[in-house]
Each structure stands twice: as C-alpha cells, then as structure tokens.
Amino acid sequence: AEDPAKKGICSNFLCDTQPGDEVKMTGPAGKVMLMPEEDPSTDYIMVATGTGIAPYRGFIRRLFVENTPAARAYKGQAWLFLGVANSDALLYDDEWQEVKEAYPGQFRLDYALSREQTNKDGGKMYIQDKVEEYADEIFDKLSRGAHIYFCGLKGMMPGIQDMLKKVAESKGLDYDEWLKGLKSKKQWHVEVY
C-alpha cells in the first residue's frame, strides 16, 4: 500500500523480502491448538469464526493433504464448522471442497452464514446455531473421546457455551461437570482473541 497508514506490518514485510534475506520467525506459543496423535482414530471437531480458521487449515493439510505419518495413519473424522457473515467471506473454500471430495467419510464441513441463513427460530445463523443442529452427534463424539477446538473472536464463546449448557441440561448432564471432564481429559481447546 502506498499510504503508510494502511501498510500492514507482517504481510508487507514478508512481501518486501528478497530471496536470500534472513527472516526470524517464532511461535506458536503454548499447546492449546495441538492435535493429539496418540490415537489415529480420534475425531476432531473444529469451530471457527472468520480468521480463526487459520489453525484448522494446518490441521486439515496435515491430516489430508501432506504426505506425513500422521496423514497416513489417520482414521478418524475431522469436522469443520466455519461461521462468517456471507458466502463471499468463506476462507479457503476451494481447499475444503477438494478435501471433502477426496475424503468424504473423514472430512465434514458446515458453514454458518449469518447474513444468508436462518436458524431454527428464524433468526440469523450464528456458529452456535449451526453446531447446535448437530448437538446429539457432537455430544456422542465427545463422549467417545473426540477433541473440540474453538478459534476466532472471543465473542463467539458466550453463545457457544450457553448453547452447550442448554443441550447438556436437556440430556440430564451437569454442564460444569461435563465441561470439567472434557478439560481434564484434554479434549477441550480454546484459542480466542
């Protein structure tokens, strides 16, 4: 960008580098968004809003695109939920569709398009509404050891947690105990900003 006020720091720095330039990179910090690889049949449920899709792109590439031991061993199902305002904001849709076509039994994809879809009550379709449509299946997967990941704007978590609490209670579960159990088994992963 010509206007320095509009010049991004990281992307433009990388674009301005020349072949042979040294670039120091660090990260990521922490272990919140790591995939457990002890059991290759583990199901992964990935919930994202907007740019929160980034770590899942890495997960899905590792499981289905790259020639890695993890990809060759993986027998579980990866299920991606992405919430954005409308279909022109879908990030990496072409990649998701290729993986879905190549691995139809192992990769699922669901979008929540808040300005294009409506939820069961006729309101806007937010990420928690789309996840709730599959609540029985998700709770079943979690009871069998699936890992659930949340990444994106922190504003999504209250709606997600309210929905999960309502579903848990409808199943006769104590939500706080249920959540504590997921966390103690390291099945609950949250990276929001």
Side-chain angles (χ1 to χ4, degrees):
E2 295 303 316
D3 180 353
K6 295 182 180 173
K7 189 166 182 167
I9 294 172
C10 185
S11 299
N12 281 286
F13 169 78
L14 292 173
C15 289
D16 293 344
T17 59
Q18 299 297 315
D21 286 354
E22 284 193 30
V23 176
K24 183 177 181 179
M25 299 177 76
T26 62
K31 297 180 179 180
V32 171
M33 297 303 282
L34 296 179
M35 287 190 306
E37 295 181 350
E38 301 82 20
D39 180 357
S41 65
T42 300
D43 290 336
Y44 302 117
I45 302 163
M46 302 162 283
V47 181
T49 55
T51 58
I53 197 72
Y56 306 138
R57 185 179 188 213
F59 284 19
I60 291 163
R61 291 183 64 81
R62 181 166 176 79
L63 294 171
F64 301 113
V65 178
E66 297 171 356
N67 183 15
T68 64
R72 288 189 293 276
Y74 189 61
K75 303 292 181 246
Q77 184 182 73
W79 192 352
L80 176 63
F81 290 89
L82 173 60
V84 293
N86 41 45
S87 52
D88 65 356
L90 291 171
L91 300 169
Y92 311 116
D93 182 60
D94 55 336
E95 294 180 28
W96 311 141
Q97 298 303 329
E98 285 177 21
V99 172
K100 188 175 169 185
E101 185 176 321
Y103 298 91
Q106 283 189 281
F107 180 67
R108 288 175 69 176
L109 175 65
D110 280 283
Y111 291 137
L113 306 172
S114 63
R115 294 189 186 145
E116 296 179 13
Q117 299 171 324
T118 55
N119 63 26
K120 69 180 190 296
D121 299 321
K124 290 182 176 184
M125 175 67 76
Y126 292 113
I127 192 71
Q128 64 267 23
D129 302 312
K130 183 55 72 173
V131 173
E132 185 178 15
E133 288 180 4
Y134 301 97
D136 288 341
E137 194 172 355
I138 289 168
F139 271 67
D140 180 58
K141 284 180 175 290
L142 290 168
S143 74
R144 291 185 285 114
H147 284 242
I148 191 163
Y149 298 81
F150 302 94
C151 190
L153 297 175
K154 65 183 170 189
M156 79 168 163
M157 289 311 293
I160 291 276
Q161 290 180 301
D162 289 347
M163 177 274 296
L164 291 172
K165 182 175 184 173
K166 182 177 81 174
V167 172
E169 289 172 352
S170 76
K171 295 178 172 300
L173 300 171
D174 177 305
Y175 175 73
D176 294 326
E177 289 300 313
W178 176 78
L179 183 57
K180 190 189 303 182
L182 291 178
K183 288 178 178 180
S184 73
K185 296 178 209 155
K186 297 182 175 23
Q187 293 173 255
W188 180 266
H189 311 267
V190 179
E191 184 69 45
V192 294
Y193 39 87

